Amino acid sequence: QVQLVESGGGSVQAGGSLRLSCAASGYTASSNCMGWFRQAPGKEREGVAGIYTADGRTYVADSVKGRFTISKDNARPTLHLQMNSLKSEDTAMYYCAASSVTYCYLALLYGPYYNYWGQGTQVTVSS
């Protein structure tokens, strides 16, 4: 089992920045991939960014490419999402997730590959 706790959400004006963090505990060695997903009211969940823990390869959704960066602090272990140049359409609940699926690196933003989820942290961007 892996437990995930997000932090760092809040309210910010458009153009601003936020840094989300996700503290992982439990059997973290089973986490082959970790990622950030978001869901806005009335919309489907969307994969934002993912990382393959074995070699650090990352993938970022086109909607946030160039603005969001995913990183992992292996010493802790903690997952981060640096969000810059925020837009109103980035407003959503952001979830941290971990996957024990061996081949999760094939689709880092594929939600069904992720079997551990945090409770989420709200990000609100005002224009």
Side-chain angles (χ1 to χ4, degrees):
Q1 290 286 332
V2 177
Q3 293 79 43
L4 304 169
V5 179
E6 303 96 336
S7 62
S11 297
V12 64
Q13 289 191 329
S17 299
L18 282 175
R19 180 178 172 86
L20 304 184
S21 296
C22 172
S25 61
Y27 188 47
T28 57
S30 66
S31 300
N32 295 318
C33 296
M34 297 189 74
W36 289 97
F37 294 77
R38 67 185 182 186
Q39 188 167 21
K43 294 188 177 181
E44 293 188 354
R45 183 181 62 196
E46 173 190 18
V48 176
I51 186 168
Y52 181 47
T53 58
D55 60 13
R57 75 180 77 171
T58 62
Y59 188 82
V60 179
D62 288 343
S63 58
V64 303
K65 194 165 293 182
R67 301 188 296 122
F68 290 13
T69 303
I70 186 171
S71 63
K72 187 173 183 296
D73 181 350
N74 292 320
R76 302 218 172 181
T78 304
L79 185 72
H80 301 286
L81 184 68
Q82 179 65 44
M83 305 186 295
N84 299 327
S85 302
L86 283 162
K87 305 175 181 179
S88 57
E89 49 263 44
D90 295 319
T91 294
M93 184 71 79
Y94 283 72
Y95 298 91
C96 173
S99 171
S100 61
V101 173
T102 302
Y103 45 84
C104 57
Y105 61 89
L106 295 176
L108 287 171
L109 301 187
Y110 185 56
Y113 279 172
Y114 288 81
N115 42 352
Y116 301 106
W117 294 83
Q119 294 299 307
T121 185
Q122 178 67 37
V123 172
T124 303
V125 184
S126 57
S127 57

